[in-house]
Amino acid sequence: MKDILHHKQYCGRNGQAIFDEVATVRDIIAYAEETNKPICLLSIDFKEAFDKMSHTFLFKILRQYGIGDNFCSRLQKIYADATSTLNGHKSTPIKILSGVRQGCPLSMILFALYIKPLLINLDKKLNGLYIRHNSTKTTAIAYADDITMIVTQPEEINTVKEILHDYMHATGASINTN
């Protein structure tokens, strides 16, 4: 996963935890204070993040990342016939067409891969920060579905809105605007 996940996605990487993500945010704030560089940190929360993952989009990007057909086919079989009932009562099963299973160890990794296109797009279109000498540009930090974006210019707010709009349109995801 180290070679596939976005370099600022802290979930699913050996030797990295949510504490590393928090430390990176802290380093960005310290850098901005030290250099008097104005920044805005935007934290987004996906509404029902794991429930709304489009299977079509998920399997398309897994193949683009080079995940083998054998693995993808087996994963598709797991989700192909998934059903649910209303509040645990006996009812006609409802076919599940999106989402990954809560509590499944694989779900967090799948979501991390699912948002990689969003993180790449942010890298391409935002200025970001270089907080250490010879470091890579940081435009966003993610831990599963928690994403913190670094905006360095007021006009980048509109860029972020456009990027999120395009991502939500492509994936069916939605953002908690509250």
PDB file of all heavy atoms in Angstrom, residues 103-142:
ATOM      1  N   GLY A 103     -16.636  -1.895   9.889  1.00  0.00           N
ATOM      2  CA  GLY A 103     -15.939  -2.859  10.731  1.00  0.00           C
ATOM      3  C   GLY A 103     -15.051  -3.818   9.968  1.00  0.00           C
ATOM      4  O   GLY A 103     -14.255  -4.526  10.577  1.00  0.00           O
ATOM      5  N   CYS A 104     -15.176  -3.876   8.662  1.00  0.00           N
ATOM      6  CA  CYS A 104     -14.307  -4.740   7.860  1.00  0.00           C
ATOM      7  C   CYS A 104     -12.917  -4.109   7.817  1.00  0.00           C
ATOM      8  O   CYS A 104     -12.794  -2.927   7.502  1.00  0.00           O
ATOM      9  CB  CYS A 104     -14.876  -4.882   6.449  1.00  0.00           C
ATOM     10  SG  CYS A 104     -13.779  -5.778   5.317  1.00  0.00           S
ATOM     11  N   PRO A 105     -11.866  -4.869   8.141  1.00  0.00           N
ATOM     12  CA  PRO A 105     -10.511  -4.295   8.144  1.00  0.00           C
ATOM     13  C   PRO A 105     -10.098  -3.714   6.786  1.00  0.00           C
ATOM     14  O   PRO A 105      -9.280  -2.808   6.720  1.00  0.00           O
ATOM     15  CB  PRO A 105      -9.608  -5.470   8.519  1.00  0.00           C
ATOM     16  CG  PRO A 105     -10.506  -6.516   9.048  1.00  0.00           C
ATOM     17  CD  PRO A 105     -11.877  -6.268   8.521  1.00  0.00           C
ATOM     18  N   LEU A 106     -10.680  -4.202   5.729  1.00  0.00           N
ATOM     19  CA  LEU A 106     -10.335  -3.733   4.396  1.00  0.00           C
ATOM     20  C   LEU A 106     -11.014  -2.405   4.040  1.00  0.00           C
ATOM     21  O   LEU A 106     -10.516  -1.651   3.211  1.00  0.00           O
ATOM     22  CB  LEU A 106     -10.735  -4.810   3.379  1.00  0.00           C
ATOM     23  CG  LEU A 106     -10.218  -4.707   1.969  1.00  0.00           C
ATOM     24  CD1 LEU A 106      -8.696  -4.594   1.942  1.00  0.00           C
ATOM     25  CD2 LEU A 106     -10.661  -5.914   1.170  1.00  0.00           C
ATOM     26  N   SER A 107     -12.113  -2.090   4.703  1.00  0.00           N
ATOM     27  CA  SER A 107     -12.900  -0.908   4.343  1.00  0.00           C
ATOM     28  C   SER A 107     -12.112   0.392   4.436  1.00  0.00           C
ATOM     29  O   SER A 107     -12.228   1.260   3.582  1.00  0.00           O
ATOM     30  CB  SER A 107     -14.156  -0.825   5.206  1.00  0.00           C
ATOM     31  OG  SER A 107     -15.012  -1.889   4.900  1.00  0.00           O
ATOM     32  N   MET A 108     -11.303   0.557   5.480  1.00  0.00           N
ATOM     33  CA  MET A 108     -10.551   1.788   5.639  1.00  0.00           C
ATOM     34  C   MET A 108      -9.533   1.962   4.514  1.00  0.00           C
ATOM     35  O   MET A 108      -9.367   3.051   3.972  1.00  0.00           O
ATOM     36  CB  MET A 108      -9.874   1.849   6.998  1.00  0.00           C
ATOM     37  CG  MET A 108      -9.396   3.264   7.316  1.00  0.00           C
ATOM     38  SD  MET A 108      -8.827   3.525   8.988  1.00  0.00           S
ATOM     39  CE  MET A 108     -10.310   3.341   9.917  1.00  0.00           C
ATOM     40  N   ILE A 109      -8.876   0.878   4.125  1.00  0.00           N
ATOM     41  CA  ILE A 109      -7.913   0.936   3.021  1.00  0.00           C
ATOM     42  C   ILE A 109      -8.635   1.245   1.712  1.00  0.00           C
ATOM     43  O   ILE A 109      -8.162   2.055   0.911  1.00  0.00           O
ATOM     44  CB  ILE A 109      -7.149  -0.400   2.887  1.00  0.00           C
ATOM     45  CG1 ILE A 109      -6.278  -0.635   4.109  1.00  0.00           C
ATOM     46  CG2 ILE A 109      -6.316  -0.431   1.620  1.00  0.00           C
ATOM     47  CD1 ILE A 109      -5.098   0.284   4.227  1.00  0.00           C
ATOM     48  N   LEU A 110      -9.771   0.614   1.494  1.00  0.00           N
ATOM     49  CA  LEU A 110     -10.536   0.883   0.279  1.00  0.00           C
ATOM     50  C   LEU A 110     -10.941   2.346   0.217  1.00  0.00           C
ATOM     51  O   LEU A 110     -10.858   2.981  -0.843  1.00  0.00           O
ATOM     52  CB  LEU A 110     -11.764  -0.028   0.192  1.00  0.00           C
ATOM     53  CG  LEU A 110     -11.489  -1.505  -0.005  1.00  0.00           C
ATOM     54  CD1 LEU A 110     -12.777  -2.309   0.074  1.00  0.00           C
ATOM     55  CD2 LEU A 110     -10.772  -1.759  -1.320  1.00  0.00           C
ATOM     56  N   PHE A 111     -11.344   2.916   1.348  1.00  0.00           N
ATOM     57  CA  PHE A 111     -11.713   4.328   1.342  1.00  0.00           C
ATOM     58  C   PHE A 111     -10.495   5.210   1.089  1.00  0.00           C
ATOM     59  O   PHE A 111     -10.579   6.208   0.360  1.00  0.00           O
ATOM     60  CB  PHE A 111     -12.415   4.752   2.634  1.00  0.00           C
ATOM     61  CG  PHE A 111     -13.049   6.100   2.493  1.00  0.00           C
ATOM     62  CD1 PHE A 111     -14.313   6.222   1.946  1.00  0.00           C
ATOM     63  CD2 PHE A 111     -12.365   7.249   2.848  1.00  0.00           C
ATOM     64  CE1 PHE A 111     -14.892   7.476   1.763  1.00  0.00           C
ATOM     65  CE2 PHE A 111     -12.934   8.501   2.681  1.00  0.00           C
ATOM     66  CZ  PHE A 111     -14.199   8.607   2.131  1.00  0.00           C
ATOM     67  N   ALA A 112      -9.362   4.857   1.655  1.00  0.00           N
ATOM     68  CA  ALA A 112      -8.137   5.631   1.420  1.00  0.00           C
ATOM     69  C   ALA A 112      -7.789   5.649  -0.072  1.00  0.00           C
ATOM     70  O   ALA A 112      -7.369   6.677  -0.612  1.00  0.00           O
ATOM     71  CB  ALA A 112      -6.984   5.056   2.241  1.00  0.00           C
ATOM     72  N   LEU A 113      -7.975   4.526  -0.731  1.00  0.00           N
ATOM     73  CA  LEU A 113      -7.739   4.469  -2.180  1.00  0.00           C
ATOM     74  C   LEU A 113      -8.811   5.246  -2.946  1.00  0.00           C
ATOM     75  O   LEU A 113      -8.534   5.881  -3.955  1.00  0.00           O
ATOM     76  CB  LEU A 113      -7.711   3.015  -2.650  1.00  0.00           C
ATOM     77  CG  LEU A 113      -6.520   2.194  -2.154  1.00  0.00           C
ATOM     78  CD1 LEU A 113      -6.736   0.718  -2.429  1.00  0.00           C
ATOM     79  CD2 LEU A 113      -5.234   2.684  -2.780  1.00  0.00           C
ATOM     80  N   TYR A 114     -10.017   5.215  -2.433  1.00  0.00           N
ATOM     81  CA  TYR A 114     -11.162   5.871  -3.056  1.00  0.00           C
ATOM     82  C   TYR A 114     -10.982   7.388  -3.129  1.00  0.00           C
ATOM     83  O   TYR A 114     -11.415   8.031  -4.076  1.00  0.00           O
ATOM     84  CB  TYR A 114     -12.400   5.510  -2.238  1.00  0.00           C
ATOM     85  CG  TYR A 114     -13.726   5.867  -2.813  1.00  0.00           C
ATOM     86  CD1 TYR A 114     -14.267   5.132  -3.864  1.00  0.00           C
ATOM     87  CD2 TYR A 114     -14.477   6.909  -2.288  1.00  0.00           C
ATOM     88  CE1 TYR A 114     -15.520   5.425  -4.365  1.00  0.00           C
ATOM     89  CE2 TYR A 114     -15.740   7.207  -2.787  1.00  0.00           C
ATOM     90  CZ  TYR A 114     -16.244   6.461  -3.837  1.00  0.00           C
ATOM     91  OH  TYR A 114     -17.491   6.750  -4.339  1.00  0.00           O
ATOM     92  N   ILE A 115     -10.335   7.967  -2.102  1.00  0.00           N
ATOM     93  CA  ILE A 115     -10.157   9.416  -2.109  1.00  0.00           C
ATOM     94  C   ILE A 115      -8.820   9.858  -2.708  1.00  0.00           C
ATOM     95  O   ILE A 115      -8.562  11.050  -2.825  1.00  0.00           O
ATOM     96  CB  ILE A 115     -10.337  10.039  -0.712  1.00  0.00           C
ATOM     97  CG1 ILE A 115      -9.290   9.540   0.253  1.00  0.00           C
ATOM     98  CG2 ILE A 115     -11.742   9.850  -0.216  1.00  0.00           C
ATOM     99  CD1 ILE A 115      -9.209  10.371   1.514  1.00  0.00           C
ATOM    100  N   LYS A 116      -7.996   8.918  -3.116  1.00  0.00           N
ATOM    101  CA  LYS A 116      -6.717   9.301  -3.714  1.00  0.00           C
ATOM    102  C   LYS A 116      -6.900  10.251  -4.906  1.00  0.00           C
ATOM    103  O   LYS A 116      -6.150  11.230  -5.013  1.00  0.00           O
ATOM    104  CB  LYS A 116      -5.926   8.059  -4.128  1.00  0.00           C
ATOM    105  CG  LYS A 116      -4.562   8.396  -4.709  1.00  0.00           C
ATOM    106  CD  LYS A 116      -3.780   7.155  -5.081  1.00  0.00           C
ATOM    107  CE  LYS A 116      -2.459   7.531  -5.736  1.00  0.00           C
ATOM    108  NZ  LYS A 116      -1.700   6.352  -6.127  1.00  0.00           N
ATOM    109  N   PRO A 117      -7.860  10.027  -5.814  1.00  0.00           N
ATOM    110  CA  PRO A 117      -8.027  10.986  -6.918  1.00  0.00           C
ATOM    111  C   PRO A 117      -8.312  12.410  -6.428  1.00  0.00           C
ATOM    112  O   PRO A 117      -7.849  13.383  -7.028  1.00  0.00           O
ATOM    113  CB  PRO A 117      -9.211  10.428  -7.711  1.00  0.00           C
ATOM    114  CG  PRO A 117      -9.222   8.969  -7.398  1.00  0.00           C
ATOM    115  CD  PRO A 117      -8.748   8.868  -5.972  1.00  0.00           C
ATOM    116  N   LEU A 118      -9.052  12.530  -5.340  1.00  0.00           N
ATOM    117  CA  LEU A 118      -9.313  13.848  -4.761  1.00  0.00           C
ATOM    118  C   LEU A 118      -8.012  14.483  -4.285  1.00  0.00           C
ATOM    119  O   LEU A 118      -7.732  15.654  -4.567  1.00  0.00           O
ATOM    120  CB  LEU A 118     -10.309  13.730  -3.605  1.00  0.00           C
ATOM    121  CG  LEU A 118     -10.554  14.985  -2.774  1.00  0.00           C
ATOM    122  CD1 LEU A 118     -11.130  16.106  -3.636  1.00  0.00           C
ATOM    123  CD2 LEU A 118     -11.464  14.672  -1.598  1.00  0.00           C
ATOM    124  N   LEU A 119      -7.189  13.722  -3.576  1.00  0.00           N
ATOM    125  CA  LEU A 119      -5.925  14.247  -3.059  1.00  0.00           C
ATOM    126  C   LEU A 119      -4.975  14.630  -4.188  1.00  0.00           C
ATOM    127  O   LEU A 119      -4.285  15.651  -4.109  1.00  0.00           O
ATOM    128  CB  LEU A 119      -5.279  13.220  -2.119  1.00  0.00           C
ATOM    129  CG  LEU A 119      -6.103  12.854  -0.883  1.00  0.00           C
ATOM    130  CD1 LEU A 119      -5.430  11.736  -0.102  1.00  0.00           C
ATOM    131  CD2 LEU A 119      -6.360  14.064  -0.012  1.00  0.00           C
ATOM    132  N   ILE A 120      -4.952  13.849  -5.242  1.00  0.00           N
ATOM    133  CA  ILE A 120      -4.105  14.160  -6.400  1.00  0.00           C
ATOM    134  C   ILE A 120      -4.563  15.459  -7.050  1.00  0.00           C
ATOM    135  O   ILE A 120      -3.744  16.314  -7.413  1.00  0.00           O
ATOM    136  CB  ILE A 120      -4.113  12.995  -7.412  1.00  0.00           C
ATOM    137  CG1 ILE A 120      -3.355  11.797  -6.841  1.00  0.00           C
ATOM    138  CG2 ILE A 120      -3.524  13.423  -8.755  1.00  0.00           C
ATOM    139  CD1 ILE A 120      -3.516  10.527  -7.642  1.00  0.00           C
ATOM    140  N   ASN A 121      -5.868  15.629  -7.194  1.00  0.00           N
ATOM    141  CA  ASN A 121      -6.408  16.843  -7.799  1.00  0.00           C
ATOM    142  C   ASN A 121      -6.078  18.075  -6.948  1.00  0.00           C
ATOM    143  O   ASN A 121      -5.759  19.143  -7.478  1.00  0.00           O
ATOM    144  CB  ASN A 121      -7.908  16.703  -8.018  1.00  0.00           C
ATOM    145  CG  ASN A 121      -8.395  17.493  -9.193  1.00  0.00           C
ATOM    146  OD1 ASN A 121      -7.639  18.097  -9.941  1.00  0.00           O
ATOM    147  ND2 ASN A 121      -9.700  17.501  -9.359  1.00  0.00           N
ATOM    148  N   LEU A 122      -6.152  17.942  -5.639  1.00  0.00           N
ATOM    149  CA  LEU A 122      -5.773  19.042  -4.752  1.00  0.00           C
ATOM    150  C   LEU A 122      -4.298  19.385  -4.940  1.00  0.00           C
ATOM    151  O   LEU A 122      -3.922  20.564  -4.995  1.00  0.00           O
ATOM    152  CB  LEU A 122      -6.067  18.682  -3.294  1.00  0.00           C
ATOM    153  CG  LEU A 122      -7.544  18.598  -2.912  1.00  0.00           C
ATOM    154  CD1 LEU A 122      -7.712  17.931  -1.552  1.00  0.00           C
ATOM    155  CD2 LEU A 122      -8.206  19.970  -2.939  1.00  0.00           C
ATOM    156  N   ASP A 123      -3.445  18.360  -5.067  1.00  0.00           N
ATOM    157  CA  ASP A 123      -2.014  18.588  -5.309  1.00  0.00           C
ATOM    158  C   ASP A 123      -1.784  19.376  -6.595  1.00  0.00           C
ATOM    159  O   ASP A 123      -0.923  20.255  -6.654  1.00  0.00           O
ATOM    160  CB  ASP A 123      -1.247  17.264  -5.403  1.00  0.00           C
ATOM    161  CG  ASP A 123      -0.984  16.631  -4.057  1.00  0.00           C
ATOM    162  OD1 ASP A 123      -1.163  17.302  -3.023  1.00  0.00           O
ATOM    163  OD2 ASP A 123      -0.607  15.441  -4.044  1.00  0.00           O
ATOM    164  N   LYS A 124      -2.543  19.043  -7.617  1.00  0.00           N
ATOM    165  CA  LYS A 124      -2.362  19.692  -8.917  1.00  0.00           C
ATOM    166  C   LYS A 124      -2.800  21.149  -8.910  1.00  0.00           C
ATOM    167  O   LYS A 124      -2.212  21.976  -9.592  1.00  0.00           O
ATOM    168  CB  LYS A 124      -3.148  18.949 -10.005  1.00  0.00           C
ATOM    169  CG  LYS A 124      -2.572  17.628 -10.400  1.00  0.00           C
ATOM    170  CD  LYS A 124      -3.449  16.975 -11.465  1.00  0.00           C
ATOM    171  CE  LYS A 124      -2.975  15.573 -11.791  1.00  0.00           C
ATOM    172  NZ  LYS A 124      -3.892  14.911 -12.718  1.00  0.00           N
ATOM    173  N   LYS A 125      -3.852  21.464  -8.147  1.00  0.00           N
ATOM    174  CA  LYS A 125      -4.490  22.775  -8.296  1.00  0.00           C
ATOM    175  C   LYS A 125      -4.292  23.755  -7.140  1.00  0.00           C
ATOM    176  O   LYS A 125      -4.652  24.913  -7.273  1.00  0.00           O
ATOM    177  CB  LYS A 125      -5.981  22.576  -8.566  1.00  0.00           C
ATOM    178  CG  LYS A 125      -6.204  21.853  -9.895  1.00  0.00           C
ATOM    179  CD  LYS A 125      -7.646  21.684 -10.215  1.00  0.00           C
ATOM    180  CE  LYS A 125      -7.809  20.985 -11.563  1.00  0.00           C
ATOM    181  NZ  LYS A 125      -9.188  20.688 -11.869  1.00  0.00           N
ATOM    182  N   LEU A 126      -3.728  23.298  -6.029  1.00  0.00           N
ATOM    183  CA  LEU A 126      -3.489  24.202  -4.905  1.00  0.00           C
ATOM    184  C   LEU A 126      -1.997  24.468  -4.753  1.00  0.00           C
ATOM    185  O   LEU A 126      -1.172  23.612  -5.066  1.00  0.00           O
ATOM    186  CB  LEU A 126      -4.036  23.611  -3.602  1.00  0.00           C
ATOM    187  CG  LEU A 126      -5.539  23.387  -3.504  1.00  0.00           C
ATOM    188  CD1 LEU A 126      -5.904  22.807  -2.135  1.00  0.00           C
ATOM    189  CD2 LEU A 126      -6.317  24.666  -3.762  1.00  0.00           C
ATOM    190  N   ASN A 127      -1.673  25.644  -4.223  1.00  0.00           N
ATOM    191  CA  ASN A 127      -0.262  26.005  -4.014  1.00  0.00           C
ATOM    192  C   ASN A 127       0.388  25.169  -2.929  1.00  0.00           C
ATOM    193  O   ASN A 127       1.535  24.757  -3.046  1.00  0.00           O
ATOM    194  CB  ASN A 127      -0.138  27.491  -3.654  1.00  0.00           C
ATOM    195  CG  ASN A 127      -0.516  28.386  -4.802  1.00  0.00           C
ATOM    196  OD1 ASN A 127      -0.321  28.045  -5.961  1.00  0.00           O
ATOM    197  ND2 ASN A 127      -1.077  29.539  -4.490  1.00  0.00           N
ATOM    198  N   GLY A 128      -0.319  24.948  -1.841  1.00  0.00           N
ATOM    199  CA  GLY A 128       0.214  24.144  -0.755  1.00  0.00           C
ATOM    200  C   GLY A 128       1.411  24.793  -0.084  1.00  0.00           C
ATOM    201  O   GLY A 128       1.726  25.958  -0.320  1.00  0.00           O
ATOM    202  N   LEU A 129       2.081  24.021   0.742  1.00  0.00           N
ATOM    203  CA  LEU A 129       3.260  24.482   1.473  1.00  0.00           C
ATOM    204  C   LEU A 129       4.374  23.453   1.388  1.00  0.00           C
ATOM    205  O   LEU A 129       4.121  22.256   1.309  1.00  0.00           O
ATOM    206  CB  LEU A 129       2.923  24.678   2.959  1.00  0.00           C
ATOM    207  CG  LEU A 129       1.989  25.789   3.362  1.00  0.00           C
ATOM    208  CD1 LEU A 129       1.723  25.706   4.855  1.00  0.00           C
ATOM    209  CD2 LEU A 129       2.555  27.138   3.003  1.00  0.00           C
ATOM    210  N   TYR A 130       5.588  23.948   1.449  1.00  0.00           N
ATOM    211  CA  TYR A 130       6.768  23.113   1.610  1.00  0.00           C
ATOM    212  C   TYR A 130       7.270  23.420   3.017  1.00  0.00           C
ATOM    213  O   TYR A 130       7.929  24.443   3.229  1.00  0.00           O
ATOM    214  CB  TYR A 130       7.830  23.450   0.566  1.00  0.00           C
ATOM    215  CG  TYR A 130       7.391  23.147  -0.848  1.00  0.00           C
ATOM    216  CD1 TYR A 130       6.673  24.074  -1.600  1.00  0.00           C
ATOM    217  CD2 TYR A 130       7.698  21.916  -1.428  1.00  0.00           C
ATOM    218  CE1 TYR A 130       6.272  23.787  -2.896  1.00  0.00           C
ATOM    219  CE2 TYR A 130       7.295  21.632  -2.725  1.00  0.00           C
ATOM    220  CZ  TYR A 130       6.588  22.571  -3.451  1.00  0.00           C
ATOM    221  OH  TYR A 130       6.184  22.291  -4.728  1.00  0.00           O
ATOM    222  N   ILE A 131       6.956  22.588   3.975  1.00  0.00           N
ATOM    223  CA  ILE A 131       7.228  22.940   5.365  1.00  0.00           C
ATOM    224  C   ILE A 131       8.626  22.534   5.837  1.00  0.00           C
ATOM    225  O   ILE A 131       9.059  22.959   6.897  1.00  0.00           O
ATOM    226  CB  ILE A 131       6.156  22.387   6.319  1.00  0.00           C
ATOM    227  CG1 ILE A 131       6.047  20.876   6.245  1.00  0.00           C
ATOM    228  CG2 ILE A 131       4.834  23.053   6.069  1.00  0.00           C
ATOM    229  CD1 ILE A 131       5.127  20.263   7.284  1.00  0.00           C
ATOM    230  N   ARG A 132       9.306  21.747   5.071  1.00  0.00           N
ATOM    231  CA  ARG A 132      10.680  21.363   5.407  1.00  0.00           C
ATOM    232  C   ARG A 132      11.539  21.490   4.157  1.00  0.00           C
ATOM    233  O   ARG A 132      11.050  21.346   3.040  1.00  0.00           O
ATOM    234  CB  ARG A 132      10.732  19.920   5.922  1.00  0.00           C
ATOM    235  CG  ARG A 132      10.082  19.752   7.270  1.00  0.00           C
ATOM    236  CD  ARG A 132      10.188  18.300   7.750  1.00  0.00           C
ATOM    237  NE  ARG A 132       9.356  18.096   8.912  1.00  0.00           N
ATOM    238  CZ  ARG A 132       8.069  17.773   8.871  1.00  0.00           C
ATOM    239  NH1 ARG A 132       7.455  17.607   7.722  1.00  0.00           N
ATOM    240  NH2 ARG A 132       7.380  17.621   9.982  1.00  0.00           N
ATOM    241  N   HIS A 133      12.819  21.722   4.349  1.00  0.00           N
ATOM    242  CA  HIS A 133      13.743  21.804   3.224  1.00  0.00           C
ATOM    243  C   HIS A 133      13.719  20.480   2.453  1.00  0.00           C
ATOM    244  O   HIS A 133      13.762  19.410   3.051  1.00  0.00           O
ATOM    245  CB  HIS A 133      15.158  22.104   3.743  1.00  0.00           C
ATOM    246  CG  HIS A 133      16.154  22.286   2.661  1.00  0.00           C
ATOM    247  ND1 HIS A 133      16.087  23.333   1.767  1.00  0.00           N
ATOM    248  CD2 HIS A 133      17.225  21.548   2.294  1.00  0.00           C
ATOM    249  CE1 HIS A 133      17.081  23.241   0.912  1.00  0.00           C
ATOM    250  NE2 HIS A 133      17.792  22.164   1.216  1.00  0.00           N
ATOM    251  N   ASN A 134      13.633  20.559   1.145  1.00  0.00           N
ATOM    252  CA  ASN A 134      13.583  19.384   0.262  1.00  0.00           C
ATOM    253  C   ASN A 134      12.369  18.482   0.520  1.00  0.00           C
ATOM    254  O   ASN A 134      12.428  17.283   0.259  1.00  0.00           O
ATOM    255  CB  ASN A 134      14.868  18.546   0.356  1.00  0.00           C
ATOM    256  CG  ASN A 134      16.060  19.281  -0.197  1.00  0.00           C
ATOM    257  OD1 ASN A 134      15.935  20.091  -1.109  1.00  0.00           O
ATOM    258  ND2 ASN A 134      17.225  19.011   0.367  1.00  0.00           N
ATOM    259  N   SER A 135      11.306  19.044   1.052  1.00  0.00           N
ATOM    260  CA  SER A 135      10.111  18.234   1.271  1.00  0.00           C
ATOM    261  C   SER A 135       9.185  18.331   0.069  1.00  0.00           C
ATOM    262  O   SER A 135       9.360  19.164  -0.803  1.00  0.00           O
ATOM    263  CB  SER A 135       9.369  18.712   2.530  1.00  0.00           C
ATOM    264  OG  SER A 135       8.809  19.992   2.332  1.00  0.00           O
ATOM    265  N   THR A 136       8.199  17.449   0.056  1.00  0.00           N
ATOM    266  CA  THR A 136       7.187  17.509  -0.997  1.00  0.00           C
ATOM    267  C   THR A 136       6.135  18.540  -0.597  1.00  0.00           C
ATOM    268  O   THR A 136       5.960  18.846   0.573  1.00  0.00           O
ATOM    269  CB  THR A 136       6.510  16.140  -1.206  1.00  0.00           C
ATOM    270  OG1 THR A 136       5.927  15.735   0.033  1.00  0.00           O
ATOM    271  CG2 THR A 136       7.496  15.094  -1.688  1.00  0.00           C
ATOM    272  N   LYS A 137       5.433  19.039  -1.583  1.00  0.00           N
ATOM    273  CA  LYS A 137       4.380  20.016  -1.340  1.00  0.00           C
ATOM    274  C   LYS A 137       3.238  19.349  -0.577  1.00  0.00           C
ATOM    275  O   LYS A 137       2.856  18.223  -0.871  1.00  0.00           O
ATOM    276  CB  LYS A 137       3.886  20.563  -2.679  1.00  0.00           C
ATOM    277  CG  LYS A 137       2.735  21.532  -2.561  1.00  0.00           C
ATOM    278  CD  LYS A 137       2.375  22.168  -3.885  1.00  0.00           C
ATOM    279  CE  LYS A 137       1.592  21.237  -4.758  1.00  0.00           C
ATOM    280  NZ  LYS A 137       0.985  21.904  -5.920  1.00  0.00           N
ATOM    281  N   THR A 138       2.719  20.068   0.406  1.00  0.00           N
ATOM    282  CA  THR A 138       1.588  19.580   1.170  1.00  0.00           C
ATOM    283  C   THR A 138       0.385  20.456   0.871  1.00  0.00           C
ATOM    284  O   THR A 138       0.398  21.656   1.142  1.00  0.00           O
ATOM    285  CB  THR A 138       1.889  19.600   2.687  1.00  0.00           C
ATOM    286  OG1 THR A 138       3.043  18.802   2.939  1.00  0.00           O
ATOM    287  CG2 THR A 138       0.717  19.055   3.481  1.00  0.00           C
ATOM    288  N   THR A 139      -0.648  19.859   0.276  1.00  0.00           N
ATOM    289  CA  THR A 139      -1.896  20.575   0.008  1.00  0.00           C
ATOM    290  C   THR A 139      -3.035  20.018   0.851  1.00  0.00           C
ATOM    291  O   THR A 139      -4.007  20.713   1.103  1.00  0.00           O
ATOM    292  CB  THR A 139      -2.290  20.470  -1.474  1.00  0.00           C
ATOM    293  OG1 THR A 139      -2.441  19.091  -1.810  1.00  0.00           O
ATOM    294  CG2 THR A 139      -1.254  21.106  -2.372  1.00  0.00           C
ATOM    295  N   ALA A 140      -2.901  18.770   1.253  1.00  0.00           N
ATOM    296  CA  ALA A 140      -3.937  18.130   2.058  1.00  0.00           C
ATOM    297  C   ALA A 140      -3.315  16.992   2.853  1.00  0.00           C
ATOM    298  O   ALA A 140      -2.332  16.388   2.420  1.00  0.00           O
ATOM    299  CB  ALA A 140      -5.054  17.589   1.170  1.00  0.00           C
ATOM    300  N   ILE A 141      -3.899  16.745   4.002  1.00  0.00           N
ATOM    301  CA  ILE A 141      -3.495  15.642   4.854  1.00  0.00           C
ATOM    302  C   ILE A 141      -4.755  14.830   5.111  1.00  0.00           C
ATOM    303  O   ILE A 141      -5.813  15.397   5.396  1.00  0.00           O
ATOM    304  CB  ILE A 141      -2.923  16.137   6.199  1.00  0.00           C
ATOM    305  CG1 ILE A 141      -1.724  17.051   5.952  1.00  0.00           C
ATOM    306  CG2 ILE A 141      -2.507  14.993   7.087  1.00  0.00           C
ATOM    307  CD1 ILE A 141      -2.008  18.445   6.335  1.00  0.00           C
ATOM    308  N   ALA A 142      -4.645  13.517   5.006  1.00  0.00           N
ATOM    309  CA  ALA A 142      -5.842  12.696   5.164  1.00  0.00           C
ATOM    310  C   ALA A 142      -5.583  11.524   6.094  1.00  0.00           C
ATOM    311  O   ALA A 142      -4.496  10.938   6.099  1.00  0.00           O
ATOM    312  CB  ALA A 142      -6.294  12.175   3.801  1.00  0.00           C
TER     313      ALA A 142
END
